[in-house]
Amino acid sequence: MLASGVWPVLGLVFNALVWGISWWPLRQLQLAGLHPVWATALFFAIGAVVVGSLRPQAWRVVASQPRLWALALAAGATNAAFNWGVSIGEVVRVVLLFYLMPVWAVLLAWWMLDECITAGSLLRVGLALAGAVLVLQPAEGGWPVFDRLADWLGLAGGVGFALINVLLRQLANEASSSRALAMFSGGLVLPVGLGLLLTWQGQVPAPPAAQPGWMLMALGMGLLFVAANMALQHAAAKLPVRITSVIMLTEVLFATLTSVWWGGESLRWSVLAGGALILVAAFLAARDGD
């Protein structure tokens, strides 16, 4: 009994760990010439191949379900934005802006699921926005500002993540393999399209020539993302949503510790205070099952 309950929890922690430390290999790949947008496409191409090979019937389901296409696009946008953001910005800042998800989840659930905006949801929105004000406050003081691309990417990734959660609620009756394949396919197709556009405009370098070093790292990360996604799918089927959501917040802890330890980032009091408010909002949303 104990072991059967522990494994899903460990699976969620593993998922959070992979995402929480993903900024480091993404930066290493960027140093090797592989832009985060192209790296994202490569990671999720591996995932699409693995899931599509193990569950070939899922291709037919994904092709016939427009709502799975929407999930694919949301997943592609979320992962491209998050991976690009943590590669070029302050990791903790980007991750915390990403976890403003409760704000967007309330609005999207009201729009797409006809859920009422309650006093509790307004409290969570207020806490998260107050936290964002503190996170975005410049070190020298003054009004909060989005002063770098990474901030906007973290924010956009959070909007996409909220949309994924709403769509997954709508697609609860679909097989987990179909949902996973849709998300991996979106994580491939949208970044490829974005990468081609930005490369054509000269804003993103084309992928570098094949070299064993960066290719092995990319392959390893792709397989880790597949394993993390499968662990999440397994745990989500075994645990209540409120527990799953809270455990996933350990990603913030992993990102914070590794960015300070490996990346040499420093944490200002305003970022810590703002992060605490954002995490409280996310915790309340998880507790209430939103």
Side-chain angles (χ1 to χ4, degrees):
M1 289 289 292
L2 179 61
S4 63
V6 167
W7 283 113
V9 172
L10 291 178
L12 287 176
V13 173
F14 171 70
N15 178 274
L17 175 64
V18 170
W19 283 102
I21 67 172
S22 62
W23 64 271
W24 187 84
L26 281 163
R27 291 187 180 185
Q28 302 307 306
L29 289 169
Q30 190 170 27
L31 290 174
L34 188 67
H35 191 275
V37 170
W38 290 118
T40 300
L42 186 54
F43 297 161
F44 285 85
I46 295 168
V49 169
V50 171
V51 176
S53 299
L54 294 175
R55 295 288 187 272
Q57 68 276 13
W59 288 109
R60 184 176 63 257
V61 177
V62 172
S64 63
Q65 286 282 2
R67 283 190 299 180
L68 286 171
W69 305 347
L71 178 63
L73 291 175
T78 299
N79 289 293
F82 179 83
N83 288 345
W84 192 354
V86 295
S87 297
I88 63 174
E90 295 178 30
V91 175
V92 175
R93 184 173 170 125
V94 172
V95 171
L96 289 174
L97 289 173
F98 180 84
Y99 271 99
L100 283 175
M101 185 195 73
V103 175
W104 319 123
V106 166
L107 298 176
L108 288 170
W110 169 66
W111 175 42
M112 299 175 64
L113 302 175
D114 293 323
E115 292 187 1
C116 295
I117 296 180
T118 64
S121 61
L122 288 177
L123 171 63
R124 295 193 295 273
V125 167
L127 287 171
L129 290 178
V133 168
L134 291 172
V135 169
L136 292 171
Q137 187 177 43
E140 62 276 10
W143 291 100
V145 290
F146 286 89
D147 61 353
R148 45 180 73 88
L149 175 62
D151 290 348
W152 292 105
L153 290 169
L155 189 70
V159 174
F161 190 39
L163 180 57
I164 287 172
N165 279 268
V166 172
L167 289 170
L168 286 174
R169 216 182 295 181
Q170 289 185 332
L171 294 163
N173 293 327
E174 295 290 345
S176 60
S177 58
S178 299
R179 298 196 303 266
L181 182 59
M183 294 174 71
F184 278 122
S185 298
L188 164 63
V189 174
L190 191 141
V192 165
L194 180 62
L196 289 172
L197 175 62
L198 295 177
T199 300
W200 176 68
Q201 292 179 341
Q203 299 182 39
V204 164
Q211 295 289 339
W214 72 259
M215 291 182 68
L216 286 174
M217 179 177 285
L219 175 62
M221 282 304 299
L223 293 174
L224 275 177
F225 279 127
V226 172
N229 185 278
M230 293 300 101
L232 175 62
Q233 295 280 349
H234 173 73
K238 300 288 185 182
L239 299 172
V241 173
R242 63 184 182 276
I243 295 177
T244 300
S245 302
V246 170
I247 296 173
M248 286 176 64
L249 292 177
T250 56
E251 177 187 340
V252 179
L253 174 64
F254 293 129
T256 300
L257 292 176
T258 56
S259 65
V260 172
W261 186 17
W262 299 342
E265 293 187 6
S266 57
L267 298 177
R268 294 179 287 110
W269 74 266
S270 58
V271 173
L272 290 172
L277 290 176
I278 292 171
L279 292 180
V280 167
F283 173 80
L284 290 176
R287 187 198 64 179
D288 295 341
D290 290 344

